[in-house]
């Protein structure tokens, strides 16, 4: 099927429309189907925001390069910070995990909790292009409540959130974000398509400012994709088709509020068991910020963890081994 055919045009249009209904996306936001995953959007976020008319005007008024605020809560937010630093950003680390004491190794950075908002080092609004955070860190099992970030950040500063592993798992007030980025492969469909929901004023460009997009590849250009209806080239057609089916399924289940109840019920099954047997199970993450999507915990010894994983596999529960950088169990 040609992606330029009427049949496929209906597929992508329906997918966008259903997602807009499911998440109650306001009319002043564009929904884009892109490629490159969350990792591609690390770069796209920085390059597109610094190409936008509003950010460039703010920077011109300041007289120097704006900074980018990054909340570092685990591996993926660290990846975003590393990428924009490589591209020439001047990052401001709002916080980097929490300090943890270990009797064998002394103080170390741990991604098991969040510092109090009073200790956050947010940049001055007039000096900040945007604030970035990852809502759910899949490796460390830490989930940052969006309300905590949105309430702390000055409304004049766009908040950019990576929801790759939490999209469609709970209601979202899209109107409070500058942009939401999400690789589809966790909750929405096959790998290959990336969802970007971006406020339209951030897509505005000064056409006379030729330097604005000099370093922005077309394949990462939100404005370019928006003007072409997400199809400036051949899109990941099958992945978008499957996403459209998933969006419809979410709608038939009662929407994201129904899925939020389901994810809580599933998470409670595991966490209640862990909490009821503290001598055998240990969960490293602060209970206030434990992920309801990726649940991590440990058993007393690596040998018991290996046995747990083997027995789980016999019950058709596979891939429960924690990430190679942390070990333990991840559900």
């Amino acid at each position: 099927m040609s992606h330029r055919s009427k049949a496929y045009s209906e597929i992508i249009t329906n997918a966008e429309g259903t997602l807009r209904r499911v998440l109650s996306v306001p009319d002043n936001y564009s929904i884009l189907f892109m490629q490159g995953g969350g990792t591609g959007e690390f770069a796209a976020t920085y390059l597109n925001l610094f190409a936008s008319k509003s950010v460039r005007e703010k920077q011109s008024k300041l007289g120097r390069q704006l900074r980018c605020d990054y909340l570092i809560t685990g591996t993926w937010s660290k990846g975003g910070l590393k990428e924009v630093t490589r591209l020439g950003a001047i990052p401001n680390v709002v916080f980097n995990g929490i300090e943890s004491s270990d009797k064998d190794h002394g103080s170390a950075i741990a991604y098991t909790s969040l510092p109090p908002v009073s200790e956050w080092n947010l940049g001055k609004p007039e000096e900040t292009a945007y604030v970035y955070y990852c809502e759910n860190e899949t490796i460390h099992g830490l989930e940052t409540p969006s309300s905590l970030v949105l309430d702390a950040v000055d409304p004049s500063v766009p908040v950019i959130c990576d929801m790759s592993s939490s999209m469609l798992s709970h209601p979202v007030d899209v109107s409070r974000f500058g942009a939401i980025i999400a690789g589809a492969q966790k909750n929405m469909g096959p790998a290959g398509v990336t969802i970007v929901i971006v406020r339209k004023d951030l897509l505005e460009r000064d056409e006379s400012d030729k330097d604005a997009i000099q370093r922005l590849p077309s394949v990462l250009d939100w404005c370019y994709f928006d003007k072409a209806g997400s199809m400036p080239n051949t899109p990941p057609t099958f992945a978008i088709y499957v996403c459209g089916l998933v969006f419809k399924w979410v709608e038939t289940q009662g929407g994201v509020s129904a899925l939020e109840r389901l994810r809580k019920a599933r998470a409670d099954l595991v966490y209640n068991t862990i909490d009821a047997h503290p001598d055998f199970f240990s969960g490293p993450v602060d209970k206030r910020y434990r992920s309801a999507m990726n649940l991590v915990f440990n058993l007393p010894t690596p040998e018991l963890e290996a046995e747990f994983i083997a027995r789980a596999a016999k019950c058709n529960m596979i891939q429960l081994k924690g990430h190679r950088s942390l070990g333990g169990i991840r559900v």
Side-chain angles (χ1 to χ4, degrees):
M1 179 188 297
S2 168
H3 70 286
R4 300 296 182 192
S5 66
K6 181 180 178 181
Y8 190 74
S9 178
E10 291 177 356
I11 288 173
I12 193 168
T13 299
N14 288 337
E16 178 187 336
T18 308
L19 181 60
R20 190 175 291 275
R21 290 195 304 274
V22 165
L23 290 180
S24 300
V25 179
D27 291 340
N28 64 320
Y29 283 74
S30 290
I31 297 176
L32 311 177
F33 295 97
M34 302 187 71
Q35 299 180 55
T39 302
E41 291 306 314
F42 291 164
T45 293
Y46 169 70
L47 295 172
N48 280 279
L49 266 292
F50 273 81
S52 72
K53 184 178 180 180
S54 59
V55 170
R56 292 184 72 80
E57 287 178 345
K58 185 178 184 179
Q59 183 167 261
S60 178
K61 183 178 180 180
L62 181 65
R64 64 177 187 274
Q65 186 172 336
L66 294 173
R67 300 172 73 91
C68 314
D69 278 6
Y70 275 73
L71 283 62
I72 309 303
T73 53
T75 298
W76 296 111
S77 47
K78 280 198 295 184
L81 175 66
K82 181 180 179 181
E83 180 69 359
V84 298
T85 303
R86 185 182 71 83
L87 292 171
I90 302 177
N92 171 54
V93 177
V94 178
F95 63 79
N96 182 16
I98 60 167
E99 190 171 282
S100 176
S101 297
D102 185 286
K103 64 180 180 180
D104 297 320
H105 303 96
S107 296
I109 297 298
Y111 300 107
T112 55
S113 188
L114 303 175
V117 174
S118 60
E119 296 179 8
W120 291 14
N121 180 38
L122 287 164
K124 296 179 180 179
E126 66 272 17
E127 298 178 358
T128 306
Y130 63 87
V131 175
Y132 169 94
Y133 74 104
C134 178
E135 185 175 64
N136 184 64
E137 291 280 1
T138 56
I139 292 174
H140 293 86
L142 186 144
E143 191 165 353
T144 302
S146 288
S147 59
L148 197 66
V149 180
L150 295 165
D151 290 345
V153 176
D154 188 281
S156 67
V157 179
V159 174
I160 314 299
C161 183
D162 181 348
M163 292 190 185
S164 291
S165 57
S166 54
M167 182 76 99
L168 297 185
S169 71
H170 62 84
V172 177
D173 185 355
V174 175
S175 68
R176 299 191 69 187
F177 294 89
I180 295 170
I181 58 177
Q185 67 275 5
K186 299 293 184 182
N187 301 328
M188 296 181 281
V193 62
T194 308
I195 307 297
V196 176
I197 303 174
V198 56
R199 207 172 63 215
K200 289 183 178 181
D201 65 286
L202 296 175
L203 297 175
E204 294 178 5
R205 306 263 174 85
D206 182 351
E207 298 300 331
S208 65
D209 186 356
K210 302 303 180 183
D211 293 335
I213 60 171
Q214 189 173 18
R215 296 188 303 124
L216 176 54
S218 295
V219 74
L220 297 179
D221 190 337
W222 294 347
C223 190
Y224 180 54
F225 271 71
D226 183 51
K227 289 179 179 179
S230 291
M231 294 195 294
N233 60 349
T234 305
T237 53
F238 182 73
I240 293 172
Y241 166 70
V242 175
C243 283
L245 296 180
V246 172
F247 301 155
K248 289 179 181 178
W249 176 83
V250 171
E251 206 167 33
T252 63
Q253 298 305 302
V256 288
S257 293
L259 296 193
E260 183 181 39
R261 292 191 293 271
L262 179 60
R263 84 164 193 160
K264 184 181 185 304
R266 291 184 303 190
D268 285 349
L269 285 173
V270 177
Y271 285 135
N272 289 344
T273 301
I274 291 172
D275 295 341
H277 302 280
D279 295 334
F280 192 72
F281 296 110
S282 61
V285 181
D286 185 331
K287 290 182 180 180
R288 294 173 296 173
Y289 308 120
R290 293 193 296 200
S291 172
M293 304 301 293
N294 302 88
L295 290 62
V296 299
F297 58 92
N298 296 89
L299 276 65
T301 67
E303 291 76 19
L304 282 172
E305 289 176 348
E307 184 176 350
F308 180 94
I309 292 167
R311 290 194 181 191
K314 291 180 180 178
C315 298
N316 292 322
M317 293 185 290
I318 62 173
Q319 300 292 311
L320 299 189
K321 186 176 181 179
H323 191 270
R324 61 184 180 277
S325 63
L326 294 180
I329 310 297
R330 180 170 58 161
V331 178

